[in-house]
Amino acid sequence: SQQGEEDPQALSIQEGENATMNCSYKTSINNLQWYRQNSGRGLVHLILIRSNEREKHSGRLRVTLDTSKKSSSLLITASRAADTASYFCATANAGGTSYGKLTFGQGTILTVHP
Amino acid sequence: ETGVTQTPRHLVMGMTNKKSLKCEQHLGHNAMYWYKQSAKKPLELMFVYSLEERVENNSVPSRFSPECPNSSHLFLHLHTLQPEDSALYLCASSQGTGWAGANVLTFGAGSRLTVL
């Protein structure tokens, strides 16, 4: 199985609601990152959380990491229609010699209705 | 603009054509990457260049040939592709060249390739 599997695959909410996406992974990590992708565009880095951190905030984003469960969650508070996009988690394996090799999940498609 | 520019944005080619994708980063980064994004599949890492040296070739078929003439430019040369190679090809760069730092990738907007 792949590293970094997101759940749910798709999420549809109303503007103003909170959106929570989850990511599970299988091996030890150095850090975990969340990216966003608007339709047909490149990915944009949102936030990075290191393996020794448990929670991180950036604006309306809150990321948690539970290394004992090998899982992370991304919470977007007070969602807006402009938050509509695909969200990917990416894990950077601990150790190894792969240069910046991040393993991406398949992503969660978030739709925020006005 | 993210600082990583990809051209062309869209490309349609036949199976016998030869074409190239170009990527340029204006960020002073030291590593550049090619990723393939197909529908319903995770992003697949294809190639990594660190300080202009190829450090990873992720079992990519030889019909894809990368070239990194300097730290700011990366090409992906395409020849005799198959219809299943149709995908969004994403270029990315990072400041770090290894695991010493946490590598955050800056992506370009992608080149949408269709192979007929």
Side-chain angles (χ1 to χ4, degrees):
Chain A
S1 294
Q2 62 202 18
Q3 187 85 319
E5 297 187 17
E6 287 94 340
D7 168 62
Q9 291 189 352
L11 181 60
S12 182
I13 58 174
Q14 294 296 126
E15 209 165 28
E17 294 179 341
N18 295 341
T20 299
M21 289 159 268
N22 303 296
C23 172
S24 60
Y25 58 92
K26 297 186 182 303
T27 62
S28 296
I29 61 171
N30 175 290
N31 66 75
L32 185 145
Q33 303 177 30
W34 284 91
Y35 287 80
R36 163 196 168 125
Q37 182 180 35
N38 286 76
S39 180
R41 307 286 297 183
L43 280 72
V44 175
H45 178 258
L46 295 176
I47 198 165
L48 178 152
I49 187 165
R50 298 180 188 272
S51 59
N52 61 353
E53 297 175 309
R54 291 296 166 259
E55 188 170 315
K56 207 158 182 182
H57 297 256
S58 177
R60 293 184 296 113
L61 305 180
R62 173 177 165 250
V63 169
T64 61
L65 179 64
D66 186 336
T67 53
S68 67
K69 296 181 179 178
K70 292 186 168 56
S71 67
S72 173
S73 67
L74 170 67
L75 168 67
I76 303 174
T77 60
S79 63
R80 305 166 183 167
D83 294 327
T84 295
S86 294
Y87 292 82
F88 297 87
C89 70
T91 51
N93 290 345
T97 58
S98 295
Y99 287 78
K101 183 175 181 179
L102 293 177
T103 304
F104 286 83
Q106 285 189 261
T108 293
I109 300 172
L110 174 65
T111 303
V112 181
H113 299 282
Chain B
E1 284 297 327
T2 64
V4 178
T5 304
Q6 289 189 243
T7 55
R9 292 294 316 281
H10 300 273
L11 178 63
V12 179
M13 58 187 290
M15 293 167 59
T16 58
N17 291 159
K18 288 185 181 181
K19 298 285 184 182
S20 296
L21 305 180
K22 178 183 175 182
C23 177
E24 182 174 1
Q25 59 99 356
H26 318 278
L27 302 167
H29 284 173
N30 295 310
M32 296 186 77
Y33 310 74
W34 279 116
Y35 279 87
K36 175 183 178 182
Q37 186 176 33
S38 305
K40 298 188 183 342
K41 293 177 71 175
L43 238 62
E44 300 173 57
L45 177 65
M46 300 176 73
F47 301 104
V48 182
Y49 277 82
S50 176
L51 298 173
E52 301 156 44
E53 178 184 344
R54 190 192 307 183
V55 296
E56 182 142 351
N57 175 350
N58 215 23
S59 301
V60 179
S62 59
R63 57 185 183 269
F64 295 92
S65 174
E67 178 189 3
C68 187
N70 55 63
S71 60
S72 298
H73 293 86
L74 184 65
F75 294 89
L76 187 62
H77 304 299
L78 316 169
H79 62 98
T80 59
L81 295 191
Q82 306 297 312
E84 59 264 28
D85 296 323
S86 298
L88 183 67
Y89 288 85
L90 293 164
C91 174
S93 68
S94 67
Q95 186 169 28
T97 58
W99 283 126
N103 278 329
V104 170
L105 300 184
T106 301
F107 283 85
S111 293
R112 172 70 64 184
L113 173 67
T114 302
V115 181
L116 302 176

